[in-house]
Structure formats: C-alpha cells, structure tokens
Amino acid sequence: MSEPFDEPAAYRGDIIVGLKFVPPDSGHNSSGNISLRKFSKSSIKTSTKGALHVLVKEAKNLMPVKANGTCDAFCKSYLLPEKSRSSKRKTDVIKRTVNPVWNHTIVYEDVTLQELSERALELTIWDHDRLASNEFLGGVRFSLGTVRVFIGGNACGKHYGKPVEWMDATGKELSLWQSMLNRPNFWVEGCLVLRSSIDTARNSL
C-alpha cells in the first residue's frame, strides 16, 4: 500500500520501485548467508565499490495530460549531486496509459555504501511529447536525509557536512533507502506517492 498523502489536491499517482546494493564480493559470509549487519557510516569507510540496482517497476494513477485521457510516460533518474549525462538513466516510453509498467532495471556502477549514504537517487516521471517540452508528472527522491537543517524555510539534509536542498527525503523515501543500505544483496521494494514538484527536475530527454 502507498503511504498517505497530506494534500489530496496535489496527488500525482504512485510509483513502485525496488532498490538493491550489490557489493563486489556478492555480500555472502562463510556460512552462505547474507550479512544483515546494521549500516553505519563509520563501519564501512573502507568498503570496496559495488553497484546500485534500481528496479523501476510501474506507476499508477498518473495525471492524464493527453487529449485522450492518457499519457506517454517514461521515468528518468539521477544519482545526485551528479546531474550530467553520465548520471542520467531513463526507461522506455510507455504510450497511451496512466498506469505504465516498465520493469526496467537501472544500474549505477562503482559506488560504495558510504558514498550512497551521502547521495540521493532522484526518479522523475514525464509525459513524452515529440513536438513540445516533456511535461513533469511527479517524482520521488531517496536519501538518508536524517541530519535536518533548514534552507529558505525548507528542511534539508547534509552532503559531506554541507547543507543541500536535495537531501530532503522523508517517510518511505528515507526508510526504503535506509533499508537498502542495511541489507546488501537484498531487494527492498516500496510503493510511494509521487511528489507534485521536485525543484531539480529537468524536462530534457
């Protein structure tokens, strides 16, 4: 079930996402079981690099923006703070539906748990338009975001000690990211309500 949303008028739909961190040694101990040792920044500073796997499964109840009452939706991701082409990933466009199913896996290589604890995964959904700008439909942003500071009245977190606006995850965005960090080699999955706005969203393909 998706989490409750405080402003029904701003409801943009839901997204179902799976997250998994895959360490280079596959994360198994000598007994063959996957270690569930509690994540802490200090305990993993020497971690070797692995990969973040993101399964973008589907979205539900997206805002219909086409004349026929549907949309042509695709999902785009960035691993913040990087916003270059090297960080951008996207799914295929699923046409003529407000309930697109992608089942698309995005992989970010050469990352550690320590690095992911200081970064954020941004997923945004867009309506594809060949003749005009793509239209933003909603998004989510995963991070720890647990050290709360305020920038311009907005609660934010810190990136390597510096306050940043994009470390602003709360609720399921925060808890799912924490679960992924705590459970290497396990898929963690959640259904999240899409935000009606994300300040760093871009409308380019």
Side-chain angles (χ1 to χ4, degrees):
M1 294 180 62
S2 61
E3 60 186 342
F5 199 71
D6 293 333
E7 301 178 25
Y11 176 69
R12 291 295 190 98
D14 306 276
I15 186 171
I16 300 176
V17 178
L19 303 173
K20 179 171 68 169
F21 175 75
V22 180
D25 62 357
S26 79
H28 288 76
N29 58 30
S30 58
S31 65
N33 297 320
I34 295 176
S35 172
L36 300 183
R37 179 169 55 88
K38 185 71 174 177
F39 164 81
S40 68
K41 291 183 180 181
S42 60
S43 66
I44 58 172
K45 287 184 178 179
T46 59
S47 296
T48 53
K49 294 199 172 185
L52 170 64
H53 290 233
V54 183
L55 176 59
V56 183
K57 297 188 73 173
E58 60 182 302
K60 297 180 178 180
N61 306 314
L62 295 178
M63 182 175 65
V65 294
K66 303 292 190 189
N68 61 3
T70 67
C71 55
D72 297 341
F74 69 95
C75 182
K76 181 170 59 176
S77 76
Y78 287 103
L79 190 57
L80 302 177
E82 185 63 49
K83 293 284 287 189
S84 67
R85 288 184 177 273
S86 64
S87 175
K88 183 170 67 175
R89 309 282 192 276
K90 61 186 180 70
T91 69
D92 292 334
V93 176
I94 305 298
K95 295 184 177 181
R96 296 181 293 278
T97 180
V98 294
N99 300 295
V101 177
W102 294 289
N103 285 322
H104 181 90
T105 300
I106 294 166
V107 179
Y108 287 98
E109 301 279 1
D110 297 323
V111 292
T112 67
L113 287 175
Q114 171 67 19
E115 290 169 349
L116 292 176
S117 74
E118 299 284 353
R119 303 184 72 172
L121 174 70
E122 181 180 282
L123 300 178
T124 52
I125 299 177
W126 301 81
D127 173 67
H128 177 58
D129 193 321
R130 292 190 304 167
L131 303 178
S133 296
N134 299 319
E135 184 169 349
F136 176 75
L137 298 177
V140 292
R141 191 185 286 147
F142 299 96
S143 70
L144 288 182
T146 51
V147 181
R148 310 302 286 177
V149 295
F150 287 86
I151 300 177
N154 297 318
C156 303
K158 291 185 177 182
H159 172 64
Y160 292 107
K162 179 182 178 181
V164 290
E165 294 182 347
W166 47 264
M167 286 284 279
D168 61 350
T170 60
K172 281 190 176 180
E173 293 176 339
L174 190 156
S175 62
L176 202 65
W177 195 250
Q178 178 74 72
S179 295
M180 179 270 296
L181 295 172
N182 287 345
R183 296 168 64 87
N185 263 330
F186 274 91
W187 281 106
V188 295
E189 182 178 306
C191 180
L192 300 94
V193 173
L194 294 167
R195 301 187 192 188
S196 59
S197 65
I198 287 187
D199 55 5
T200 62
R202 298 178 179 180
N203 66 1
S204 62
L205 273 174

